[in-house]
Amino acid sequence: MPAKSPRPDVRALDYRRVFDGLTEAVLILDPLDELRIIAANAAACTLYGVPHEQLAGSVLGTLAHGDALAGLQIRDLVATGRPRRFQVTHYRADGSELPVDVEASLIDYEGGKLVFCMHRTAAEATSAARHIMTAALEWQLTVDSMETVVLLTDLRGRVIRANRMALERSGAASFTELAGRDVESIGDRQEPFLHAGQLVQLAVAQQSPISSQVEDRGTGRTWHLSTIPAGSGDQGRVVIVARDVSDIIQMESVIRRSEKLASMGELVAGVAHEVRNPLFSISATLDALESRLATRDHATEQHLLNLHRAIQRLSALMQDLLEYGRLPQLDLVTVTLDDVVADAVAAVAGQAEAHGVTIGNRVTPEAGALLADRRRLAQAFQNILGNAIEHSPFGATIDVFAEHRDNEDTSWIACSIADQGPGFGTDDLGRVFEPFFTRRAGGTGLGLAIVERIAQIHGGRVTAANRPGGGAVVTVLLPCLGG
């Protein structure tokens, strides 16, 4: 039989004041002395109805009235070192039964081991469990309300928890489909889950938070991911937060593009003003020389014609440069889309006739009303029609039509102009609205750039695509009045 160890002076423990102030009943036992109670806090004395001087120094068996379950559980704790939780029936000083929930663990003290036991009544344990469940539910509701993907994994990247957005993005019908799976394997190995798996490995290896940004080429969405490791071993976890920042990236791109275009607009407008006066002087001088030539042979006539064409081309370029560089000041009035389109069709009627092209205008008054600068908006459609005419073969038809497109916030009018030409090159679709980009000989590359600027200052946008049956289609989307 092992020798009894001297009773430690518990009053010397630094945490005595905290120990006495605990609201839950705590007993400290000596495992080498028949599980003798060497300390009990005030809550334990109240729970068992025994004064401190009587409770401290007694053995645990006096509370159990011979029930050996508590002793077996605590001896297993001492042997294995693993914390134990169990339920047992003890007795108060008045003899009444007291079902308690016990949590026992080992603590180091002066080179030896003591047993720290926290006792709760069944009602207290139930209440604590209820509070834990309520807190867990509140946290789940909180993360489920977030519009970001939130995942909890182990240190190997296997899913332990997931919020509502994670389920939606992964395509899983329930959490059971995700539980235990490698994070990079869910969502058909698409972003943000694929990249998240790699970040988990880095975060665990470096034991520090890791952030990264990744673009999903399949959807065009951009994700910002953060992985935060916590703990190690079997209890180690990694929190993954993935936020869709596509709208922010697009906004930044639009701002940068707008700043770039504004700077370029000021430059080209300045150049146009400087060139316009000399160009007018050249045109007037040519007219004067031409009037003084009494007789002209064929070669002279051809030279004069070429000069006039060059001046006309430069004049058109100067007009485009001035229009592109003009500050976006609008004369806004209420107009119907069919009236604006009719103005544009009338403006290009001569050009269409010269190229043998028919314009099929199917825009009706039912298309809706806009708050717009009628002249400038008509110019946008005129530029699109002019491009379509130039790229259409003889005898082709250009279709002009409109439709409504609604989203949660705005009602849009989408006016499309579709031709039967060769369409846009695959590599050109992303550049057709860039200033000075053109594939047409003699083109200025400003027509569609001006269209985009006019659409933007009207609160809309413009898109370009190829028709499935051949040809190009350019669509201007504008907010519908009252939408």
Side-chain angles (χ1 to χ4, degrees), residues 269-290:
V271 171
H273 278 292
E274 292 298 322
V275 173
R276 185 169 58 175
N277 289 336
L279 183 62
F280 177 77
S281 177
I282 293 172
S283 178
T285 301
L286 177 61
D287 290 339
L289 288 174
E290 189 176 11

mmCIF file of all heavy atoms in Angstrom, residues 269-290:
data_model
loop_
_atom_site.group_PDB
_atom_site.id
_atom_site.type_symbol
_atom_site.label_atom_id
_atom_site.label_comp_id
_atom_site.label_asym_id
_atom_site.label_seq_id
_atom_site.Cartn_x
_atom_site.Cartn_y
_atom_site.Cartn_z
ATOM 1 N N ALA A 269 -8.376 66.269 -77.509
ATOM 2 C CA ALA A 269 -9.152 67.482 -77.785
ATOM 3 C C ALA A 269 -8.219 68.657 -78.024
ATOM 4 O O ALA A 269 -8.446 69.488 -78.920
ATOM 5 C CB ALA A 269 -10.098 67.764 -76.623
ATOM 6 N N GLY A 270 -7.149 68.722 -77.224
ATOM 7 C CA GLY A 270 -6.180 69.792 -77.426
ATOM 8 C C GLY A 270 -5.508 69.703 -78.784
ATOM 9 O O GLY A 270 -5.316 70.714 -79.480
ATOM 10 N N VAL A 271 -5.151 68.472 -79.181
ATOM 11 C CA VAL A 271 -4.521 68.278 -80.495
ATOM 12 C C VAL A 271 -5.498 68.663 -81.606
ATOM 13 O O VAL A 271 -5.126 69.328 -82.591
ATOM 14 C CB VAL A 271 -4.069 66.818 -80.666
ATOM 15 C CG1 VAL A 271 -3.610 66.556 -82.100
ATOM 16 C CG2 VAL A 271 -2.952 66.495 -79.681
ATOM 17 N N ALA A 272 -6.750 68.262 -81.469
ATOM 18 C CA ALA A 272 -7.746 68.566 -82.498
ATOM 19 C C ALA A 272 -7.921 70.063 -82.680
ATOM 20 O O ALA A 272 -8.021 70.564 -83.815
ATOM 21 C CB ALA A 272 -9.079 67.910 -82.124
ATOM 22 N N HIS A 273 -7.947 70.792 -81.581
ATOM 23 C CA HIS A 273 -8.087 72.246 -81.679
ATOM 24 C C HIS A 273 -6.883 72.863 -82.402
ATOM 25 O O HIS A 273 -7.035 73.797 -83.204
ATOM 26 C CB HIS A 273 -8.218 72.858 -80.278
ATOM 27 C CG HIS A 273 -9.605 72.772 -79.725
ATOM 28 N ND1 HIS A 273 -10.658 73.484 -80.266
ATOM 29 C CD2 HIS A 273 -10.111 72.066 -78.684
ATOM 30 C CE1 HIS A 273 -11.764 73.226 -79.581
ATOM 31 N NE2 HIS A 273 -11.458 72.358 -78.612
ATOM 32 N N GLU A 274 -5.705 72.342 -82.099
ATOM 33 C CA GLU A 274 -4.499 72.890 -82.727
ATOM 34 C C GLU A 274 -4.455 72.576 -84.222
ATOM 35 O O GLU A 274 -3.941 73.365 -85.017
ATOM 36 C CB GLU A 274 -3.252 72.333 -82.036
ATOM 37 C CG GLU A 274 -3.056 72.819 -80.614
ATOM 38 C CD GLU A 274 -2.876 74.325 -80.551
ATOM 39 O OE1 GLU A 274 -2.214 74.890 -81.459
ATOM 40 O OE2 GLU A 274 -3.403 74.954 -79.606
ATOM 41 N N VAL A 275 -4.967 71.400 -84.600
ATOM 42 C CA VAL A 275 -4.884 70.969 -86.006
ATOM 43 C C VAL A 275 -6.016 71.561 -86.841
ATOM 44 O O VAL A 275 -5.865 71.777 -88.038
ATOM 45 C CB VAL A 275 -4.903 69.427 -86.088
ATOM 46 C CG1 VAL A 275 -4.994 68.952 -87.541
ATOM 47 C CG2 VAL A 275 -3.657 68.845 -85.422
ATOM 48 N N ARG A 276 -7.146 71.848 -86.207
ATOM 49 C CA ARG A 276 -8.313 72.266 -86.977
ATOM 50 C C ARG A 276 -8.068 73.546 -87.764
ATOM 51 O O ARG A 276 -8.454 73.642 -88.939
ATOM 52 C CB ARG A 276 -9.507 72.456 -86.030
ATOM 53 C CG ARG A 276 -10.798 72.766 -86.759
ATOM 54 C CD ARG A 276 -11.995 72.688 -85.853
ATOM 55 N NE ARG A 276 -11.857 73.603 -84.716
ATOM 56 C CZ ARG A 276 -12.825 73.802 -83.809
ATOM 57 N NH1 ARG A 276 -13.962 73.147 -83.928
ATOM 58 N NH2 ARG A 276 -12.645 74.645 -82.822
ATOM 59 N N ASN A 277 -7.432 74.534 -87.155
ATOM 60 C CA ASN A 277 -7.217 75.795 -87.867
ATOM 61 C C ASN A 277 -6.290 75.649 -89.072
ATOM 62 O O ASN A 277 -6.604 76.132 -90.171
ATOM 63 C CB ASN A 277 -6.682 76.855 -86.906
ATOM 64 C CG ASN A 277 -7.749 77.307 -85.912
ATOM 65 O OD1 ASN A 277 -8.949 77.192 -86.187
ATOM 66 N ND2 ASN A 277 -7.318 77.813 -84.769
ATOM 67 N N PRO A 278 -5.128 74.981 -88.932
ATOM 68 C CA PRO A 278 -4.297 74.762 -90.127
ATOM 69 C C PRO A 278 -5.027 73.948 -91.197
ATOM 70 O O PRO A 278 -4.850 74.201 -92.398
ATOM 71 C CB PRO A 278 -3.086 74.002 -89.585
ATOM 72 C CG PRO A 278 -3.015 74.366 -88.142
ATOM 73 C CD PRO A 278 -4.425 74.526 -87.714
ATOM 74 N N LEU A 279 -5.837 72.993 -90.788
ATOM 75 C CA LEU A 279 -6.571 72.168 -91.752
ATOM 76 C C LEU A 279 -7.580 73.016 -92.521
ATOM 77 O O LEU A 279 -7.744 72.871 -93.742
ATOM 78 C CB LEU A 279 -7.282 71.031 -91.016
ATOM 79 C CG LEU A 279 -8.035 70.030 -91.899
ATOM 80 C CD1 LEU A 279 -7.070 69.324 -92.841
ATOM 81 C CD2 LEU A 279 -8.772 69.007 -91.042
ATOM 82 N N PHE A 280 -8.243 73.933 -91.819
ATOM 83 C CA PHE A 280 -9.179 74.828 -92.499
ATOM 84 C C PHE A 280 -8.439 75.714 -93.500
ATOM 85 O O PHE A 280 -8.921 75.969 -94.619
ATOM 86 C CB PHE A 280 -9.911 75.694 -91.470
ATOM 87 C CG PHE A 280 -10.842 76.694 -92.070
ATOM 88 C CD1 PHE A 280 -12.086 76.313 -92.556
ATOM 89 C CD2 PHE A 280 -10.469 78.032 -92.188
ATOM 90 C CE1 PHE A 280 -12.941 77.249 -93.125
ATOM 91 C CE2 PHE A 280 -11.314 78.962 -92.750
ATOM 92 C CZ PHE A 280 -12.561 78.575 -93.224
ATOM 93 N N SER A 281 -7.253 76.163 -93.111
ATOM 94 C CA SER A 281 -6.455 77.003 -94.018
ATOM 95 C C SER A 281 -6.052 76.226 -95.263
ATOM 96 O O SER A 281 -6.093 76.749 -96.396
ATOM 97 C CB SER A 281 -5.214 77.511 -93.282
ATOM 98 O OG SER A 281 -4.398 78.271 -94.139
ATOM 99 N N ILE A 282 -5.664 74.943 -95.084
ATOM 100 C CA ILE A 282 -5.286 74.105 -96.230
ATOM 101 C C ILE A 282 -6.477 73.918 -97.159
ATOM 102 O O ILE A 282 -6.366 74.005 -98.387
ATOM 103 C CB ILE A 282 -4.759 72.742 -95.742
ATOM 104 C CG1 ILE A 282 -3.430 72.919 -94.998
ATOM 105 C CG2 ILE A 282 -4.594 71.765 -96.902
ATOM 106 C CD1 ILE A 282 -2.942 71.662 -94.310
ATOM 107 N N SER A 283 -7.657 73.649 -96.578
ATOM 108 C CA SER A 283 -8.859 73.438 -97.391
ATOM 109 C C SER A 283 -9.210 74.700 -98.172
ATOM 110 O O SER A 283 -9.534 74.637 -99.377
ATOM 111 C CB SER A 283 -10.023 73.040 -96.473
ATOM 112 O OG SER A 283 -11.214 72.880 -97.211
ATOM 113 N N ALA A 284 -9.128 75.876 -97.517
ATOM 114 C CA ALA A 284 -9.459 77.130 -98.205
ATOM 115 C C ALA A 284 -8.455 77.429 -99.312
ATOM 116 O O ALA A 284 -8.824 77.897 -100.406
ATOM 117 C CB ALA A 284 -9.485 78.268 -97.189
ATOM 118 N N THR A 285 -7.172 77.167 -99.047
ATOM 119 C CA THR A 285 -6.140 77.406 -100.067
ATOM 120 C C THR A 285 -6.351 76.507 -101.272
ATOM 121 O O THR A 285 -6.205 76.931 -102.430
ATOM 122 C CB THR A 285 -4.745 77.154 -99.466
ATOM 123 O OG1 THR A 285 -4.571 78.038 -98.348
ATOM 124 C CG2 THR A 285 -3.663 77.406 -100.496
ATOM 125 N N LEU A 286 -6.707 75.224 -101.021
ATOM 126 C CA LEU A 286 -6.963 74.293 -102.130
ATOM 127 C C LEU A 286 -8.137 74.774 -102.972
ATOM 128 O O LEU A 286 -8.088 74.723 -104.216
ATOM 129 C CB LEU A 286 -7.247 72.890 -101.561
ATOM 130 C CG LEU A 286 -7.595 71.813 -102.592
ATOM 131 C CD1 LEU A 286 -6.433 71.615 -103.581
ATOM 132 C CD2 LEU A 286 -7.939 70.491 -101.902
ATOM 133 N N ASP A 287 -9.193 75.252 -102.317
ATOM 134 C CA ASP A 287 -10.345 75.757 -103.070
ATOM 135 C C ASP A 287 -9.940 76.953 -103.935
ATOM 136 O O ASP A 287 -10.380 77.090 -105.092
ATOM 137 C CB ASP A 287 -11.461 76.166 -102.106
ATOM 138 C CG ASP A 287 -12.107 74.962 -101.438
ATOM 139 O OD1 ASP A 287 -11.982 73.841 -101.985
ATOM 140 O OD2 ASP A 287 -12.731 75.136 -100.360
ATOM 141 N N ALA A 288 -9.102 77.832 -103.368
ATOM 142 C CA ALA A 288 -8.666 79.012 -104.124
ATOM 143 C C ALA A 288 -7.822 78.611 -105.323
ATOM 144 O O ALA A 288 -7.994 79.146 -106.439
ATOM 145 C CB ALA A 288 -7.886 79.947 -103.205
ATOM 146 N N LEU A 289 -6.883 77.691 -105.135
ATOM 147 C CA LEU A 289 -6.047 77.222 -106.253
ATOM 148 C C LEU A 289 -6.894 76.545 -107.321
ATOM 149 O O LEU A 289 -6.668 76.727 -108.526
ATOM 150 C CB LEU A 289 -4.990 76.251 -105.729
ATOM 151 C CG LEU A 289 -3.853 76.865 -104.905
ATOM 152 C CD1 LEU A 289 -2.962 75.769 -104.320
ATOM 153 C CD2 LEU A 289 -3.022 77.820 -105.768
ATOM 154 N N GLU A 290 -7.851 75.748 -106.881
ATOM 155 C CA GLU A 290 -8.697 75.019 -107.833
ATOM 156 C C GLU A 290 -9.516 75.987 -108.691
ATOM 157 O O GLU A 290 -9.703 75.778 -109.906
ATOM 158 C CB GLU A 290 -9.628 74.076 -107.058
ATOM 159 C CG GLU A 290 -10.406 73.119 -107.957
ATOM 160 C CD GLU A 290 -11.229 72.136 -107.151
ATOM 161 O OE1 GLU A 290 -11.356 72.323 -105.906
ATOM 162 O OE2 GLU A 290 -11.743 71.176 -107.730
#
